[in-house]
Coordinates of all heavy atoms in Angstrom, one line a residue:
G63 N 3.1 -2.3 18.1 CA 1.9 -2.8 18.7 C 0.8 -1.8 18.9 O 1.0 -0.7 18.5
P64 N -0.2 -2.1 19.6 CA -1.3 -1.2 19.9 C -0.8 -0.1 20.8 O 0.2 -0.2 21.5 CB -2.4 -2.0 20.5 CG -1.7 -3.2 21.1 CD -0.5 -3.5 20.2
P65 N -1.5 1.1 20.8 CA -1.1 2.2 21.6 C -1.1 1.8 23.1 O -2.0 1.0 23.5 CB -2.1 3.3 21.3 CG -2.7 3.0 20.0 CD -2.7 1.5 19.9
P66 N -0.2 2.3 23.9 CA -0.2 2.0 25.4 C -1.5 2.5 26.0 O -2.1 3.5 25.6 CB 1.0 2.7 25.9 CG 1.3 3.8 24.9 CD 0.8 3.3 23.6
V67 N -1.9 1.8 27.1 CA -3.1 2.3 27.9 C -2.8 3.6 28.5 O -1.7 3.9 29.1 CB -3.4 1.2 29.0 CG1 -4.6 1.7 29.8 CG2 -3.7 -0.1 28.3
P68 N -3.7 4.6 28.3 CA -3.5 5.9 28.9 C -3.3 5.9 30.4 O -4.0 5.2 31.1 CB -4.8 6.7 28.5 CG -5.4 5.9 27.4 CD -5.0 4.5 27.6
T69 N -2.4 6.7 30.9 CA -2.1 6.8 32.3 C -3.2 7.8 32.9 O -3.8 8.6 32.1 CB -0.7 7.4 32.6 OG1 -0.6 8.7 32.0 CG2 0.3 6.5 31.9
P70 N -3.3 7.8 34.2 CA -4.2 8.8 34.8 C -3.9 10.3 34.4 O -4.7 11.1 34.1 CB -4.1 8.6 36.3 CG -3.7 7.2 36.4 CD -2.8 6.9 35.2
A71 N -2.6 10.6 34.2 CA -2.1 11.9 33.8 C -2.6 12.2 32.4 O -3.0 13.3 32.0 CB -0.6 12.0 33.9
D72 N -2.5 11.1 31.5 CA -3.0 11.3 30.1 C -4.4 11.6 30.1 O -4.9 12.5 29.3 CB -2.7 10.0 29.3 CG -1.2 9.8 29.1 OD1 -0.4 10.8 29.0 OD2 -0.8 8.6 29.0
L73 N -5.2 10.9 30.8 CA -6.7 11.1 30.9 C -7.0 12.4 31.4 O -8.0 13.1 30.8 CB -7.3 10.0 31.7 CG -7.2 8.5 31.2 CD1 -7.8 7.5 32.2 CD2 -7.9 8.4 29.8
R74 N -6.3 12.9 32.4 CA -6.6 14.2 32.9 C -6.3 15.3 31.9 O -7.0 16.3 31.7 CB -5.8 14.5 34.2 CG -6.1 15.8 34.8 CD -5.5 15.9 36.2 NE -5.9 17.2 36.9 CZ -5.8 17.4 38.1 NH1 -5.3 16.5 38.9 NH2 -6.1 18.6 38.6
R75 N -5.2 15.1 31.2 CA -4.8 16.1 30.1 C -5.8 16.1 29.0 O -6.2 17.2 28.5 CB -3.4 15.8 29.6 CG -3.0 16.6 28.4 CD -1.6 16.3 27.9 NE -1.4 14.8 27.7 CZ -1.7 14.2 26.6 NH1 -2.3 14.9 25.6 NH2 -1.5 13.0 26.4
L76 N -6.3 15.0 28.6 CA -7.2 14.9 27.5 C -8.6 15.5 27.8 O -9.3 15.9 27.0 CB -7.3 13.4 27.0 CG -6.1 12.8 26.4 CD1 -6.3 11.3 26.2 CD2 -5.8 13.5 25.1
S77 N -8.9 15.4 29.1 CA -10.2 15.9 29.5 C -10.2 17.4 29.9 O -11.2 18.0 30.3 CB -10.7 15.1 30.7 OG -9.9 15.2 31.8
L78 N -9.0 18.0 29.9 CA -8.8 19.4 30.3 C -9.4 20.4 29.3 O -9.1 20.3 28.1 CB -7.4 19.7 30.6 CG -7.0 21.0 31.2 CD1 -7.6 21.2 32.6 CD2 -5.5 21.1 31.3
H79 N -10.3 21.2 29.8 CA -10.9 22.3 28.9 C -9.8 23.3 28.5 O -9.0 23.7 29.3 CB -12.0 23.0 29.6 CG -12.8 23.9 28.7 ND1 -12.4 25.1 28.3 CD2 -14.0 23.6 28.1 CE1 -13.3 25.6 27.5 NE2 -14.3 24.8 27.4
P80 N -9.8 23.7 27.2 CA -8.7 24.6 26.8 C -8.6 25.9 27.7 O -7.5 26.4 27.9 CB -9.1 25.0 25.4 CG -9.9 23.8 24.9 CD -10.6 23.3 26.1
D81 N -9.7 26.4 28.2 CA -9.7 27.6 29.0 C -9.0 27.4 30.3 O -8.6 28.3 31.0 CB -11.1 28.1 29.3 CG -11.8 28.7 28.0 OD1 -11.0 29.0 27.1 OD2 -13.0 28.8 28.0
D82 N -8.9 26.1 30.8 CA -8.3 25.8 32.0 C -6.8 25.3 31.9 O -6.2 25.0 32.9 CB -9.1 24.7 32.8 CG -10.4 25.3 33.3 OD1 -10.5 26.4 33.7 OD2 -11.4 24.5 33.2
D83 N -6.4 25.2 30.6 CA -5.0 24.7 30.4 C -4.0 25.8 30.4 O -4.0 26.7 29.6 CB -5.0 24.0 29.0 CG -3.8 23.2 28.8 OD1 -2.9 23.2 29.6 OD2 -3.7 22.5 27.7
L84 N -3.1 25.7 31.3 CA -2.0 26.7 31.4 C -0.8 26.5 30.6 O 0.1 27.3 30.5 CB -1.6 26.8 32.9 CG -2.6 27.2 33.9 CD1 -2.0 27.2 35.3 CD2 -3.3 28.5 33.6
A85 N -0.7 25.3 29.9 CA 0.4 25.0 29.1 C 0.7 26.0 28.0 O 1.9 26.2 27.7 CB 0.3 23.6 28.6
P86 N -0.3 26.5 27.3 CA 0.0 27.5 26.3 C 0.6 28.9 26.8 O 1.0 29.7 25.9 CB -1.3 27.7 25.5 CG -2.1 26.5 25.9 CD -1.7 26.2 27.3
N87 N 0.5 29.1 28.1 CA 1.0 30.4 28.6 C 2.4 30.7 28.1 O 3.3 29.9 28.2 CB 0.9 30.5 30.1 CG -0.6 30.7 30.6 OD1 -1.5 30.7 29.8 ND2 -0.7 31.0 31.8
R88 N 2.6 31.9 27.7 CA 4.0 32.4 27.3 C 4.7 32.9 28.5 O 4.1 33.4 29.5 CB 3.9 33.5 26.3 CG 3.2 33.1 25.0 CD 2.9 34.4 24.2 NE 1.9 35.2 24.8 CZ 1.5 36.4 24.3 NH1 2.0 36.8 23.2 NH2 0.6 37.1 25.0
P89 N 6.1 32.9 28.5 CA 6.8 33.5 29.5 C 6.4 35.0 29.6 O 6.4 35.7 28.5 CB 8.3 33.3 29.1 CG 8.3 32.1 28.3 CD 7.0 32.2 27.5
G90 N 6.1 35.5 30.8 CA 5.8 36.9 30.9 C 4.4 37.2 30.3 O 4.1 38.4 29.9

Side-chain angles (χ1 to χ4, degrees):
V67 177
T69 65
D72 292 330
L73 295 175
R74 181 165 184 169
R75 171 176 55 81
L76 293 171
S77 64
L78 186 60
H79 191 280
D81 290 342
D82 291 323
D83 190 358
L84 301 179
N87 282 9
R88 299 168 293 180

